[in-house]
Amino acid sequence: MTALTLLMILVAYLLGSISSAVLICKLWGLPDPRKQGSGNPGATNVYRIGGKVPAFLTLWFDVLKGMVPVWGSYFLGIEPFFLGIIAVAACLGHIFPLYFNFRGGKAVATALGAMFPVAWEMALLLIATWLLVFKISRVSSLAALITVCLAPFYAYWIKPQYTIPVIMISVLIVWRHQANILRLSSGAEAPFKRRRD
């Protein structure tokens, strides 16, 4: 592993540590998403708290946190396996943010953003999977869990060199959804409701 690769892993973690949800809620004068709604600093909870615009901005910036360091590393000539590790670092930053007491989100959007520069076909397939499951179930966490569980198979099919990092990301995201899994298994996970705004 070169010094440049180590630097980009660090950059990815530090960029991932910027909590879009918390900052955007502050800008909009909304409650801290870590203390309101589901308690998760992610786009779905921001939508519940503040509506479409702050939720869209949160989603967009969370995607960029994964996309920018991986894309930059790709153009710097870093080899595929380590591009995957850089993606993992961005997700770890989102889950354990340095600037926010290591209390972060679930990294679904950040993981998706990290895949676009190196495997856009897989990223589109993941989006399609999430949309399909969400359309049927109206449960965001279920859509995320099914999507990330299928991600390693998509990676092996489309870009096998990224399979191990994708497995690492998938395990991280499933682990972050422990509470959702318990609620899903007990039938207590609430379906997504549209806001009128």
Side-chain angles (χ1 to χ4, degrees):
M1 187 185 296
T2 66
L4 178 61
T5 301
L6 284 171
L7 175 63
M8 291 309 297
I9 290 171
L10 178 61
V11 167
Y13 171 75
L14 294 175
L15 190 59
S17 289
I18 300 170
S19 181
S20 312
V22 173
L23 295 177
I24 287 168
C25 282
K26 280 186 178 180
L27 286 173
W28 252 256
L30 299 169
D32 188 328
R34 296 169 297 179
K35 300 175 183 176
Q36 189 85 5
S38 67
N40 179 59
T44 302
N45 197 33
V46 173
Y47 180 83
R48 291 190 187 103
I49 296 166
K52 295 176 184 175
V53 174
F56 174 79
L57 290 173
T58 299
L59 178 66
W60 179 240
F61 284 113
D62 281 350
V63 167
L64 285 178
K65 289 193 308 186
M67 186 182 291
V68 168
V70 175
W71 219 329
S73 301
Y74 175 80
F75 283 111
L76 288 170
I78 292 173
E79 61 185 86
F81 176 78
F82 289 113
L83 290 177
I85 299 302
I86 288 163
V88 172
C91 293
L92 282 171
H94 183 86
I95 295 169
F96 304 110
L98 178 65
Y99 322 117
F100 296 88
N101 300 315
F102 301 99
R103 187 180 167 195
K106 295 174 181 173
V108 176
T110 302
L112 184 65
M115 291 177 192
F116 262 109
V118 294
W120 62 267
E121 309 98 319
M122 185 171 70
L124 292 178
L125 194 53
L126 291 170
I127 291 171
T129 302
W130 190 94
L131 289 172
L132 177 62
V133 177
F134 182 73
K135 183 175 178 62
I136 294 167
S137 68
R138 302 300 297 173
V139 179
S140 178
S141 59
L142 179 63
L145 284 163
I146 290 175
T147 300
V148 299
C149 286
L150 289 172
F153 298 99
Y154 292 162
Y156 184 75
W157 176 37
I158 296 169
K159 289 285 180 79
Q161 64 269 41
Y162 297 114
T163 303
I164 292 174
V166 169
I167 289 171
M168 293 168 68
I169 292 171
S170 295
V171 168
L172 272 174
I173 293 174
V174 170
W175 174 73
R176 285 292 288 140
H177 279 79
Q178 290 175 81
N180 302 90
I181 292 168
L182 289 172
R183 288 195 295 269
L184 285 165
S185 64
S186 65
E189 185 80 319
F192 190 79
K193 295 180 181 178
R194 294 182 184 276
R195 281 176 54 102
R196 293 185 178 182
D197 57 0

